[in-house]
Amino acid sequence: MTEHKKTGFLKRFFFSLDHKDIGFQYLLTAMFMAAFGGFFVYVFRYNLAFGPDDIPLYGNLAAKEYNQLVTNHGAIMIFWVGMPMVLAVLGNFLIPIMIGTDDMAFPLLNKISYWTFLLSCIVLLSGFLMPTGAFGGGWTMYPPLSVSDFGYNNPNTTFKANFFTGNTFFLMAVALEFISMLMGGINFIVTTLNKRAKGLSLMKLPIVVWMINIASLLFMFSVGPLIAGTFMLLMDILVGTGFFDAYRGGDPILWQHLFWFFGHPEVYVLLLPSLGVVGEIFSTFSRKPFFGYKMVIFLVLIAGILSLVVWAHHQFVSGIDPGAANIFSLLTIIISIPFAGMVLAYLGTLWRGDIKFTVPMMFALGMLASFTFFGGFTGLHLGSNVFDIYAHDTYFVIAHFHYTLFPSVILGGFAAIYYWYPKFSGRKLNKTLGKIHFWGTFIFFNSIFIPLFWLGLQGQHRRIFDYSNWDKLLMQPNHIMARQIATVSLIFLIITQFIFLFNFFKSLYKGKVAEKNPWKSNTLEWQASSPPGHGNFALYPAVYRWPYDYNHPDRDTDFLPQNEK
Amino acid sequence: MNTSINKKPTLRDIPQARLGVWILIAGEFVIFGGLIVAYLLYRFRYPEWAEMASHTNIVLGATNTFVLLTSSYFVVKAHDAAIKKDKNKITLYIGLTILSALIFLVVKITEYSQKIHHGFTFSGKELVEQGKHIESTYWGFYFLMTGLHAFHVIVGAIVLFIVMMGARKGKNYQRIEVAGLYWHMVDLIWIFLFPLLYIAN
């Protein structure tokens, strides 16, 4: 095996072209951004439950700051935590090593993609230093609010460009992040198509590699119009064009179309890699072949294609044609069929398996359960325009999309970290702390959002800073209590994450040394040393079988690595 | 028994740089596609825009179309020379391509200055002052789409220059093909923009 050379901090974390180092850089950056996103949500949730005064660690919260924090929480968690976590971290760390090669197809492009991502983080956060404060018009950036706090200019006043506003910086950060992820996506697809080990045909790829690639493709085909839209919106702010200015013939709804044409596939971009992780983990810890491998791949492709034509279900109350709304409802409900098929296949993998409740398995089960039972089912309700018009912009929607994105990004992400940590660091995480972390995360996550479903059905609107003006509607004792349960659970959820951080960083140096294949898994990454040296494999593996030959009838061992004859 | 081979796995049918640039081209088309669809939606809604489109200079636009199409021919010839590893011909044809790009940009700047001179600016301020506020957004699309395209022309010319310098040192002949593919994309996008913005009124 190749020697693992010790390299300096700056070299490893800034200039290294190695795919594992870049993956680690993405992971650290995502954790850093998650700290911001988590802090923001703590501040505004505290305000919703206990009022804006004297928030511990923050002080008094003004209404404008509330908007800024909500906006940036949403954007950070989706674009700067979700995207890097499930796409960039998993793609960078897993793809080359799972397909049995040394590195990405374009290592330098990979590095440039990370630098662009880092730049986008800096640009976003520097929005908070602008004289007018950060952008506060909602993470979906709907014009006219995203143009300025007062919308478009009064037609009779002259246009004044102001570069140094939170709006400009927010939009530039989003555009940079998209460009970074596009470069990453090109890399993933080319690497998978072109650098597979000898004998590794596409239908022998691990499911997670398939999922990351389909997610990259989906991202690539959906983000283009939004990049174009971002340019248009930036020009509206900086030059004074009228692309979305209704007075000048522009159409603010066009932005919503461009945004959600990307926005809906984006949900699947975040979901699919994490479903892939869950698939790997289910098969490994049930000691059973993956059930319906080909079916799952085709179902994902169908779901991916369908996801490009359902976007207007976010706009049922934006004034779109009711006839079109019916069609979009129908398509949205049809999309549940491939996902139901996938969940069935996953349950088929678990069915009568020899299930081992390791920490990654617990996170994977938690991910699939909460995604399906709450995220997926409420998605069906909201996908139908009849119900959505009633529930639109309430906390029901908030709870729904947190039940889809939190399991995908956070639970799926943790499952991946716990599963591949021994490979990535060469050491093991503490099991007991891991189990405490899982139960804390899972319980508090549910106790945040189940009250929010109820509050949403009671009619609590999502964009309100202070409920005291609606004392007949939203200030009943049980409403106040539901908000407080959610907020206190959130604080506990955040505290639980410190257990993970402690475990993660301590085990990096002091954890038990892990063997090469601690989970007795079949995929190729477990054939490299832990941690893999530069170039991953001393001798490149040749592949003879698909990755899920657990308990093969002809063998004595219960697993059979892909590179065994 | 575990088996291993010493050879680094590389596949095989398509060189990876070519594959990468094809995917990049797909991505670029979606970006321009978004702009074009947005433009068309407005264009069908506002008959007023037809009058604005008649203010574009079709002669200069057609000249630029001709220049870009010719440059695509030069790139193909350069690729042909790269297969034969003929450094002089590579320099000649890529030089001609870059020259075409420069001509394109000069014509573009002439057009822009004419437009701005007549009060058709990017922000459309002058038209709004005349009360033609709906028409003013046409020029936003005109300048954004052609400007973004011109930016791609500049990037393409720089890439071609770098590739040419490499080929003159006898290195990386295969890059000419990849840069050429990108150049054809720049050309093809113009083929879409020209009728949409200039001709259709």
Side-chain angles (χ1 to χ4, degrees), chain A residues 102 105 194 196 239-241 243 247-249 251 540 544 563-564, chain B residues 2-3 5 8-9 11 14 16 42 45-46 122-123 133 136-137:
Chain A
D102 58 337
N194 238 14
R196 275 169 286 133
V239 185
T241 51
F243 291 118
Y247 175 72
R248 294 175 56 188
D251 191 345
Y540 293 99
Y544 298 98
N563 60 342
E564 242 174 73
Chain B
N2 281 4
T3 44
I5 44 170
K8 189 161 149 181
L11 252 104
I14 310 179
Q16 63 193 25
Y42 285 169
R45 194 187 291 178
Y46 301 122
F122 190 11
S123 68
H133 35 268
S136 67
T137 306

PDB file of all heavy atoms in Angstrom, chain A residues 102 105 194 196 239-241 243 247-249 251 540 544 563-564, chain B residues 2-3 5 8-9 11 14 16 42 45-46 122-123 133 136-137:
ATOM      1  N   ASP A 102      -7.903   6.070  -8.753  1.00  0.00           N
ATOM      2  CA  ASP A 102      -7.023   6.837  -7.869  1.00  0.00           C
ATOM      3  C   ASP A 102      -7.567   8.206  -7.520  1.00  0.00           C
ATOM      4  O   ASP A 102      -7.360   8.704  -6.428  1.00  0.00           O
ATOM      5  CB  ASP A 102      -5.637   6.975  -8.505  1.00  0.00           C
ATOM      6  CG  ASP A 102      -5.698   7.650  -9.860  1.00  0.00           C
ATOM      7  OD1 ASP A 102      -6.788   7.616 -10.485  1.00  0.00           O
ATOM      8  OD2 ASP A 102      -4.692   8.219 -10.294  1.00  0.00           O
ATOM      9  N   ALA A 105     -11.576  12.569 -12.390  1.00  0.00           N
ATOM     10  CA  ALA A 105     -11.114  12.742 -13.763  1.00  0.00           C
ATOM     11  C   ALA A 105     -10.357  14.057 -13.910  1.00  0.00           C
ATOM     12  O   ALA A 105      -9.342  14.126 -14.594  1.00  0.00           O
ATOM     13  CB  ALA A 105     -12.295  12.697 -14.722  1.00  0.00           C
ATOM     14  N   ASN A 194     -15.836   7.237 -16.959  1.00  0.00           N
ATOM     15  CA  ASN A 194     -14.569   7.013 -17.647  1.00  0.00           C
ATOM     16  C   ASN A 194     -13.490   6.339 -16.828  1.00  0.00           C
ATOM     17  O   ASN A 194     -12.489   5.942 -17.374  1.00  0.00           O
ATOM     18  CB  ASN A 194     -14.035   8.371 -18.141  1.00  0.00           C
ATOM     19  CG  ASN A 194     -13.848   8.365 -19.620  1.00  0.00           C
ATOM     20  OD1 ASN A 194     -14.348   7.471 -20.277  1.00  0.00           O
ATOM     21  ND2 ASN A 194     -13.125   9.320 -20.142  1.00  0.00           N
ATOM     22  N   ARG A 196     -13.877   3.787 -14.318  1.00  0.00           N
ATOM     23  CA  ARG A 196     -14.246   2.622 -13.515  1.00  0.00           C
ATOM     24  C   ARG A 196     -13.181   1.539 -13.599  1.00  0.00           C
ATOM     25  O   ARG A 196     -12.466   1.428 -14.597  1.00  0.00           O
ATOM     26  CB  ARG A 196     -15.583   2.076 -14.012  1.00  0.00           C
ATOM     27  CG  ARG A 196     -16.765   2.774 -13.395  1.00  0.00           C
ATOM     28  CD  ARG A 196     -18.033   2.407 -14.097  1.00  0.00           C
ATOM     29  NE  ARG A 196     -18.111   3.056 -15.398  1.00  0.00           N
ATOM     30  CZ  ARG A 196     -18.454   2.429 -16.504  1.00  0.00           C
ATOM     31  NH1 ARG A 196     -18.729   1.157 -16.493  1.00  0.00           N
ATOM     32  NH2 ARG A 196     -18.510   3.093 -17.643  1.00  0.00           N
ATOM     33  N   VAL A 239     -28.113  47.363 -12.707  1.00  0.00           N
ATOM     34  CA  VAL A 239     -28.137  48.220 -13.887  1.00  0.00           C
ATOM     35  C   VAL A 239     -29.462  48.960 -13.998  1.00  0.00           C
ATOM     36  O   VAL A 239     -29.524  50.058 -14.536  1.00  0.00           O
ATOM     37  CB  VAL A 239     -27.882  47.372 -15.161  1.00  0.00           C
ATOM     38  CG1 VAL A 239     -27.776  48.251 -16.382  1.00  0.00           C
ATOM     39  CG2 VAL A 239     -26.627  46.559 -15.011  1.00  0.00           C
ATOM     40  N   GLY A 240     -30.510  48.346 -13.478  1.00  0.00           N
ATOM     41  CA  GLY A 240     -31.799  49.008 -13.597  1.00  0.00           C
ATOM     42  C   GLY A 240     -32.607  48.507 -14.769  1.00  0.00           C
ATOM     43  O   GLY A 240     -33.459  49.208 -15.295  1.00  0.00           O
ATOM     44  N   THR A 241     -32.365  47.280 -15.221  1.00  0.00           N
ATOM     45  CA  THR A 241     -33.224  46.683 -16.238  1.00  0.00           C
ATOM     46  C   THR A 241     -34.562  46.329 -15.586  1.00  0.00           C
ATOM     47  O   THR A 241     -34.723  46.444 -14.378  1.00  0.00           O
ATOM     48  CB  THR A 241     -32.588  45.400 -16.795  1.00  0.00           C
ATOM     49  OG1 THR A 241     -32.221  44.588 -15.692  1.00  0.00           O
ATOM     50  CG2 THR A 241     -31.389  45.712 -17.629  1.00  0.00           C
ATOM     51  N   PHE A 243     -36.382  43.212 -15.977  1.00  0.00           N
ATOM     52  CA  PHE A 243     -36.763  41.842 -16.330  1.00  0.00           C
ATOM     53  C   PHE A 243     -37.947  41.335 -15.506  1.00  0.00           C
ATOM     54  O   PHE A 243     -38.758  40.570 -15.993  1.00  0.00           O
ATOM     55  CB  PHE A 243     -35.576  40.894 -16.146  1.00  0.00           C
ATOM     56  CG  PHE A 243     -34.476  41.106 -17.130  1.00  0.00           C
ATOM     57  CD1 PHE A 243     -33.218  41.484 -16.715  1.00  0.00           C
ATOM     58  CD2 PHE A 243     -34.703  40.938 -18.478  1.00  0.00           C
ATOM     59  CE1 PHE A 243     -32.204  41.677 -17.621  1.00  0.00           C
ATOM     60  CE2 PHE A 243     -33.690  41.132 -19.397  1.00  0.00           C
ATOM     61  CZ  PHE A 243     -32.437  41.504 -18.967  1.00  0.00           C
ATOM     62  N   TYR A 247     -44.127  46.953 -13.942  1.00  0.00           N
ATOM     63  CA  TYR A 247     -44.419  48.234 -14.590  1.00  0.00           C
ATOM     64  C   TYR A 247     -43.814  48.292 -15.985  1.00  0.00           C
ATOM     65  O   TYR A 247     -44.324  48.960 -16.871  1.00  0.00           O
ATOM     66  CB  TYR A 247     -43.864  49.369 -13.723  1.00  0.00           C
ATOM     67  CG  TYR A 247     -43.992  50.727 -14.344  1.00  0.00           C
ATOM     68  CD1 TYR A 247     -45.244  51.342 -14.439  1.00  0.00           C
ATOM     69  CD2 TYR A 247     -42.881  51.395 -14.827  1.00  0.00           C
ATOM     70  CE1 TYR A 247     -45.364  52.593 -15.013  1.00  0.00           C
ATOM     71  CE2 TYR A 247     -42.997  52.648 -15.397  1.00  0.00           C
ATOM     72  CZ  TYR A 247     -44.244  53.247 -15.493  1.00  0.00           C
ATOM     73  OH  TYR A 247     -44.364  54.471 -16.056  1.00  0.00           O
ATOM     74  N   ARG A 248     -42.702  47.582 -16.166  1.00  0.00           N
ATOM     75  CA  ARG A 248     -42.003  47.641 -17.445  1.00  0.00           C
ATOM     76  C   ARG A 248     -42.200  46.370 -18.261  1.00  0.00           C
ATOM     77  O   ARG A 248     -41.369  46.021 -19.094  1.00  0.00           O
ATOM     78  CB  ARG A 248     -40.526  47.902 -17.203  1.00  0.00           C
ATOM     79  CG  ARG A 248     -40.324  49.293 -16.606  1.00  0.00           C
ATOM     80  CD  ARG A 248     -38.906  49.539 -16.247  1.00  0.00           C
ATOM     81  NE  ARG A 248     -38.053  49.340 -17.398  1.00  0.00           N
ATOM     82  CZ  ARG A 248     -36.731  49.345 -17.333  1.00  0.00           C
ATOM     83  NH1 ARG A 248     -36.141  49.528 -16.179  1.00  0.00           N
ATOM     84  NH2 ARG A 248     -36.013  49.160 -18.400  1.00  0.00           N
ATOM     85  N   GLY A 249     -43.294  45.669 -18.002  1.00  0.00           N
ATOM     86  CA  GLY A 249     -43.581  44.491 -18.817  1.00  0.00           C
ATOM     87  C   GLY A 249     -42.943  43.224 -18.302  1.00  0.00           C
ATOM     88  O   GLY A 249     -43.201  42.147 -18.822  1.00  0.00           O
ATOM     89  N   ASP A 251     -42.219  40.166 -15.576  1.00  0.00           N
ATOM     90  CA  ASP A 251     -43.203  39.361 -14.861  1.00  0.00           C
ATOM     91  C   ASP A 251     -42.558  38.708 -13.639  1.00  0.00           C
ATOM     92  O   ASP A 251     -41.706  37.837 -13.788  1.00  0.00           O
ATOM     93  CB  ASP A 251     -43.744  38.285 -15.816  1.00  0.00           C
ATOM     94  CG  ASP A 251     -44.959  37.603 -15.223  1.00  0.00           C
ATOM     95  OD1 ASP A 251     -45.184  37.758 -14.011  1.00  0.00           O
ATOM     96  OD2 ASP A 251     -45.667  36.925 -15.978  1.00  0.00           O
ATOM     97  N   TYR A 540      -4.676  -1.740  -8.397  1.00  0.00           N
ATOM     98  CA  TYR A 540      -6.064  -1.424  -8.678  1.00  0.00           C
ATOM     99  C   TYR A 540      -6.889  -2.695  -8.738  1.00  0.00           C
ATOM    100  O   TYR A 540      -6.471  -3.673  -9.355  1.00  0.00           O
ATOM    101  CB  TYR A 540      -6.177  -0.635  -9.975  1.00  0.00           C
ATOM    102  CG  TYR A 540      -5.567   0.711  -9.822  1.00  0.00           C
ATOM    103  CD1 TYR A 540      -4.287   0.961 -10.283  1.00  0.00           C
ATOM    104  CD2 TYR A 540      -6.233   1.718  -9.141  1.00  0.00           C
ATOM    105  CE1 TYR A 540      -3.699   2.191 -10.091  1.00  0.00           C
ATOM    106  CE2 TYR A 540      -5.657   2.941  -8.954  1.00  0.00           C
ATOM    107  CZ  TYR A 540      -4.387   3.178  -9.427  1.00  0.00           C
ATOM    108  OH  TYR A 540      -3.812   4.390  -9.225  1.00  0.00           O
ATOM    109  N   TYR A 544     -15.419  -8.502 -10.338  1.00  0.00           N
ATOM    110  CA  TYR A 544     -16.054  -9.683 -10.923  1.00  0.00           C
ATOM    111  C   TYR A 544     -17.534  -9.786 -10.626  1.00  0.00           C
ATOM    112  O   TYR A 544     -18.208 -10.627 -11.183  1.00  0.00           O
ATOM    113  CB  TYR A 544     -15.358 -10.949 -10.417  1.00  0.00           C
ATOM    114  CG  TYR A 544     -13.924 -10.990 -10.837  1.00  0.00           C
ATOM    115  CD1 TYR A 544     -12.931 -10.598  -9.963  1.00  0.00           C
ATOM    116  CD2 TYR A 544     -13.588 -11.361 -12.125  1.00  0.00           C
ATOM    117  CE1 TYR A 544     -11.617 -10.590 -10.362  1.00  0.00           C
ATOM    118  CE2 TYR A 544     -12.274 -11.355 -12.538  1.00  0.00           C
ATOM    119  CZ  TYR A 544     -11.292 -10.969 -11.648  1.00  0.00           C
ATOM    120  OH  TYR A 544     -10.004 -10.941 -12.062  1.00  0.00           O
ATOM    121  N   ASN A 563     -14.250  -7.569  -5.742  1.00  0.00           N
ATOM    122  CA  ASN A 563     -13.075  -7.945  -6.523  1.00  0.00           C
ATOM    123  C   ASN A 563     -12.668  -9.389  -6.269  1.00  0.00           C
ATOM    124  O   ASN A 563     -11.555  -9.773  -6.539  1.00  0.00           O
ATOM    125  CB  ASN A 563     -11.918  -6.988  -6.239  1.00  0.00           C
ATOM    126  CG  ASN A 563     -11.521  -7.005  -4.793  1.00  0.00           C
ATOM    127  OD1 ASN A 563     -12.286  -7.464  -3.949  1.00  0.00           O
ATOM    128  ND2 ASN A 563     -10.343  -6.511  -4.486  1.00  0.00           N
ATOM    129  N   GLU A 564     -13.585 -10.204  -5.723  1.00  0.00           N
ATOM    130  CA  GLU A 564     -13.256 -11.621  -5.551  1.00  0.00           C
ATOM    131  C   GLU A 564     -13.897 -12.436  -6.647  1.00  0.00           C
ATOM    132  O   GLU A 564     -15.047 -12.213  -7.014  1.00  0.00           O
ATOM    133  CB  GLU A 564     -13.757 -12.096  -4.182  1.00  0.00           C
ATOM    134  CG  GLU A 564     -12.613 -12.559  -3.307  1.00  0.00           C
ATOM    135  CD  GLU A 564     -13.096 -12.893  -1.919  1.00  0.00           C
ATOM    136  OE1 GLU A 564     -13.749 -13.927  -1.795  1.00  0.00           O
ATOM    137  OE2 GLU A 564     -12.821 -12.116  -0.992  1.00  0.00           O
TER     138      GLU A 564
ATOM    139  N   ASN B   2      -8.675 -12.593  -3.704  1.00  0.00           N
ATOM    140  CA  ASN B   2      -8.697 -11.220  -4.203  1.00  0.00           C
ATOM    141  C   ASN B   2      -7.770 -11.085  -5.395  1.00  0.00           C
ATOM    142  O   ASN B   2      -6.672 -11.615  -5.381  1.00  0.00           O
ATOM    143  CB  ASN B   2      -8.220 -10.242  -3.133  1.00  0.00           C
ATOM    144  CG  ASN B   2      -9.318  -9.982  -2.147  1.00  0.00           C
ATOM    145  OD1 ASN B   2     -10.378 -10.582  -2.232  1.00  0.00           O
ATOM    146  ND2 ASN B   2      -9.059  -9.102  -1.212  1.00  0.00           N
ATOM    147  N   THR B   3      -8.225 -10.371  -6.391  1.00  0.00           N
ATOM    148  CA  THR B   3      -7.360 -10.154  -7.544  1.00  0.00           C
ATOM    149  C   THR B   3      -7.164  -8.676  -7.738  1.00  0.00           C
ATOM    150  O   THR B   3      -8.035  -7.874  -7.438  1.00  0.00           O
ATOM    151  CB  THR B   3      -8.008 -10.730  -8.814  1.00  0.00           C
ATOM    152  OG1 THR B   3      -9.365 -10.346  -8.790  1.00  0.00           O
ATOM    153  CG2 THR B   3      -7.853 -12.203  -8.885  1.00  0.00           C
ATOM    154  N   ILE B   5      -4.964  -5.635 -10.289  1.00  0.00           N
ATOM    155  CA  ILE B   5      -4.123  -5.386 -11.449  1.00  0.00           C
ATOM    156  C   ILE B   5      -3.313  -4.150 -11.190  1.00  0.00           C
ATOM    157  O   ILE B   5      -3.679  -3.307 -10.378  1.00  0.00           O
ATOM    158  CB  ILE B   5      -4.948  -5.211 -12.741  1.00  0.00           C
ATOM    159  CG1 ILE B   5      -6.146  -4.309 -12.438  1.00  0.00           C
ATOM    160  CG2 ILE B   5      -5.359  -6.534 -13.312  1.00  0.00           C
ATOM    161  CD1 ILE B   5      -6.886  -3.879 -13.640  1.00  0.00           C
ATOM    162  N   LYS B   8      -3.630   1.416 -13.957  1.00  0.00           N
ATOM    163  CA  LYS B   8      -4.628   2.387 -13.545  1.00  0.00           C
ATOM    164  C   LYS B   8      -5.824   2.280 -14.484  1.00  0.00           C
ATOM    165  O   LYS B   8      -5.659   2.228 -15.704  1.00  0.00           O
ATOM    166  CB  LYS B   8      -3.990   3.762 -13.691  1.00  0.00           C
ATOM    167  CG  LYS B   8      -4.746   4.889 -13.132  1.00  0.00           C
ATOM    168  CD  LYS B   8      -3.745   6.003 -12.963  1.00  0.00           C
ATOM    169  CE  LYS B   8      -4.330   7.352 -13.128  1.00  0.00           C
ATOM    170  NZ  LYS B   8      -3.302   8.385 -12.978  1.00  0.00           N
ATOM    171  N   PRO B   9      -7.040   2.216 -13.928  1.00  0.00           N
ATOM    172  CA  PRO B   9      -8.170   2.063 -14.829  1.00  0.00           C
ATOM    173  C   PRO B   9      -8.490   3.357 -15.565  1.00  0.00           C
ATOM    174  O   PRO B   9      -8.670   4.392 -14.952  1.00  0.00           O
ATOM    175  CB  PRO B   9      -9.316   1.685 -13.897  1.00  0.00           C
ATOM    176  CG  PRO B   9      -8.889   2.090 -12.553  1.00  0.00           C
ATOM    177  CD  PRO B   9      -7.410   2.226 -12.530  1.00  0.00           C
ATOM    178  N   LEU B  11     -10.980   4.464 -18.950  1.00  0.00           N
ATOM    179  CA  LEU B  11     -11.840   3.996 -20.013  1.00  0.00           C
ATOM    180  C   LEU B  11     -11.712   4.961 -21.139  1.00  0.00           C
ATOM    181  O   LEU B  11     -11.649   6.143 -20.912  1.00  0.00           O
ATOM    182  CB  LEU B  11     -13.266   3.939 -19.508  1.00  0.00           C
ATOM    183  CG  LEU B  11     -13.762   2.515 -19.303  1.00  0.00           C
ATOM    184  CD1 LEU B  11     -13.783   2.143 -17.868  1.00  0.00           C
ATOM    185  CD2 LEU B  11     -15.143   2.447 -19.883  1.00  0.00           C
ATOM    186  N   ILE B  14     -14.310   7.231 -24.945  1.00  0.00           N
ATOM    187  CA  ILE B  14     -14.248   8.678 -25.156  1.00  0.00           C
ATOM    188  C   ILE B  14     -13.159   9.244 -24.255  1.00  0.00           C
ATOM    189  O   ILE B  14     -13.167   8.982 -23.062  1.00  0.00           O
ATOM    190  CB  ILE B  14     -15.583   9.354 -24.799  1.00  0.00           C
ATOM    191  CG1 ILE B  14     -16.735   8.644 -25.483  1.00  0.00           C
ATOM    192  CG2 ILE B  14     -15.570  10.811 -25.176  1.00  0.00           C
ATOM    193  CD1 ILE B  14     -18.071   9.233 -25.153  1.00  0.00           C
ATOM    194  N   GLN B  16     -11.465  11.617 -21.675  1.00  0.00           N
ATOM    195  CA  GLN B  16     -12.302  12.215 -20.646  1.00  0.00           C
ATOM    196  C   GLN B  16     -12.459  13.721 -20.802  1.00  0.00           C
ATOM    197  O   GLN B  16     -13.483  14.269 -20.428  1.00  0.00           O
ATOM    198  CB  GLN B  16     -11.809  11.857 -19.265  1.00  0.00           C
ATOM    199  CG  GLN B  16     -10.449  12.349 -18.917  1.00  0.00           C
ATOM    200  CD  GLN B  16      -9.986  11.662 -17.658  1.00  0.00           C
ATOM    201  OE1 GLN B  16     -10.446  10.570 -17.364  1.00  0.00           O
ATOM    202  NE2 GLN B  16      -9.115  12.294 -16.917  1.00  0.00           N
ATOM    203  N   TYR B  42     -41.943  36.548 -23.135  1.00  0.00           N
ATOM    204  CA  TYR B  42     -42.259  37.979 -23.187  1.00  0.00           C
ATOM    205  C   TYR B  42     -42.557  38.417 -24.610  1.00  0.00           C
ATOM    206  O   TYR B  42     -43.448  39.220 -24.862  1.00  0.00           O
ATOM    207  CB  TYR B  42     -41.081  38.799 -22.651  1.00  0.00           C
ATOM    208  CG  TYR B  42     -40.921  38.772 -21.154  1.00  0.00           C
ATOM    209  CD1 TYR B  42     -39.772  39.270 -20.570  1.00  0.00           C
ATOM    210  CD2 TYR B  42     -41.912  38.277 -20.319  1.00  0.00           C
ATOM    211  CE1 TYR B  42     -39.602  39.266 -19.199  1.00  0.00           C
ATOM    212  CE2 TYR B  42     -41.755  38.257 -18.951  1.00  0.00           C
ATOM    213  CZ  TYR B  42     -40.591  38.765 -18.396  1.00  0.00           C
ATOM    214  OH  TYR B  42     -40.431  38.757 -17.040  1.00  0.00           O
ATOM    215  N   ARG B  45     -45.903  37.788 -25.696  1.00  0.00           N
ATOM    216  CA  ARG B  45     -46.893  38.550 -24.949  1.00  0.00           C
ATOM    217  C   ARG B  45     -46.973  39.991 -25.442  1.00  0.00           C
ATOM    218  O   ARG B  45     -48.028  40.601 -25.415  1.00  0.00           O
ATOM    219  CB  ARG B  45     -46.538  38.517 -23.468  1.00  0.00           C
ATOM    220  CG  ARG B  45     -47.673  38.996 -22.590  1.00  0.00           C
ATOM    221  CD  ARG B  45     -47.266  39.119 -21.148  1.00  0.00           C
ATOM    222  NE  ARG B  45     -47.007  37.835 -20.519  1.00  0.00           N
ATOM    223  CZ  ARG B  45     -46.591  37.739 -19.254  1.00  0.00           C
ATOM    224  NH1 ARG B  45     -46.385  38.811 -18.526  1.00  0.00           N
ATOM    225  NH2 ARG B  45     -46.363  36.568 -18.711  1.00  0.00           N
ATOM    226  N   TYR B  46     -45.822  40.557 -25.863  1.00  0.00           N
ATOM    227  CA  TYR B  46     -45.780  41.986 -26.188  1.00  0.00           C
ATOM    228  C   TYR B  46     -45.498  42.203 -27.660  1.00  0.00           C
ATOM    229  O   TYR B  46     -44.354  42.126 -28.098  1.00  0.00           O
ATOM    230  CB  TYR B  46     -44.707  42.691 -25.364  1.00  0.00           C
ATOM    231  CG  TYR B  46     -44.926  42.562 -23.896  1.00  0.00           C
ATOM    232  CD1 TYR B  46     -43.952  42.003 -23.086  1.00  0.00           C
ATOM    233  CD2 TYR B  46     -46.110  42.987 -23.312  1.00  0.00           C
ATOM    234  CE1 TYR B  46     -44.152  41.875 -21.728  1.00  0.00           C
ATOM    235  CE2 TYR B  46     -46.325  42.858 -21.961  1.00  0.00           C
ATOM    236  CZ  TYR B  46     -45.345  42.300 -21.174  1.00  0.00           C
ATOM    237  OH  TYR B  46     -45.551  42.167 -19.840  1.00  0.00           O
ATOM    238  N   PHE B 122     -29.014  49.299 -22.039  1.00  0.00           N
ATOM    239  CA  PHE B 122     -29.265  48.087 -21.268  1.00  0.00           C
ATOM    240  C   PHE B 122     -30.372  48.340 -20.241  1.00  0.00           C
ATOM    241  O   PHE B 122     -31.328  47.574 -20.131  1.00  0.00           O
ATOM    242  CB  PHE B 122     -27.952  47.677 -20.590  1.00  0.00           C
ATOM    243  CG  PHE B 122     -27.986  46.318 -19.945  1.00  0.00           C
ATOM    244  CD1 PHE B 122     -29.030  45.437 -20.162  1.00  0.00           C
ATOM    245  CD2 PHE B 122     -26.937  45.919 -19.135  1.00  0.00           C
ATOM    246  CE1 PHE B 122     -29.037  44.180 -19.586  1.00  0.00           C
ATOM    247  CE2 PHE B 122     -26.944  44.665 -18.549  1.00  0.00           C
ATOM    248  CZ  PHE B 122     -27.994  43.801 -18.772  1.00  0.00           C
ATOM    249  N   SER B 123     -30.246  49.424 -19.505  1.00  0.00           N
ATOM    250  CA  SER B 123     -31.236  49.673 -18.463  1.00  0.00           C
ATOM    251  C   SER B 123     -32.556  50.166 -19.052  1.00  0.00           C
ATOM    252  O   SER B 123     -33.584  50.105 -18.390  1.00  0.00           O
ATOM    253  CB  SER B 123     -30.699  50.694 -17.474  1.00  0.00           C
ATOM    254  OG  SER B 123     -30.582  51.943 -18.101  1.00  0.00           O
ATOM    255  N   HIS B 133     -42.325  52.057 -21.546  1.00  0.00           N
ATOM    256  CA  HIS B 133     -41.680  51.228 -20.524  1.00  0.00           C
ATOM    257  C   HIS B 133     -41.671  49.754 -20.880  1.00  0.00           C
ATOM    258  O   HIS B 133     -40.740  49.048 -20.560  1.00  0.00           O
ATOM    259  CB  HIS B 133     -42.320  51.459 -19.150  1.00  0.00           C
ATOM    260  CG  HIS B 133     -43.776  51.718 -19.203  1.00  0.00           C
ATOM    261  ND1 HIS B 133     -44.291  52.993 -19.290  1.00  0.00           N
ATOM    262  CD2 HIS B 133     -44.817  50.884 -19.219  1.00  0.00           C
ATOM    263  CE1 HIS B 133     -45.607  52.919 -19.337  1.00  0.00           C
ATOM    264  NE2 HIS B 133     -45.954  51.662 -19.291  1.00  0.00           N
ATOM    265  N   SER B 136     -38.853  48.940 -23.190  1.00  0.00           N
ATOM    266  CA  SER B 136     -37.493  49.082 -22.654  1.00  0.00           C
ATOM    267  C   SER B 136     -36.906  47.744 -22.237  1.00  0.00           C
ATOM    268  O   SER B 136     -35.696  47.544 -22.306  1.00  0.00           O
ATOM    269  CB  SER B 136     -37.515  50.031 -21.460  1.00  0.00           C
ATOM    270  OG  SER B 136     -38.230  49.447 -20.402  1.00  0.00           O
ATOM    271  N   THR B 137     -37.754  46.786 -21.828  1.00  0.00           N
ATOM    272  CA  THR B 137     -37.224  45.509 -21.360  1.00  0.00           C
ATOM    273  C   THR B 137     -36.641  44.677 -22.497  1.00  0.00           C
ATOM    274  O   THR B 137     -35.773  43.853 -22.285  1.00  0.00           O
ATOM    275  CB  THR B 137     -38.328  44.737 -20.617  1.00  0.00           C
ATOM    276  OG1 THR B 137     -38.837  45.604 -19.605  1.00  0.00           O
ATOM    277  CG2 THR B 137     -37.811  43.502 -19.962  1.00  0.00           C
TER     278      THR B 137
END
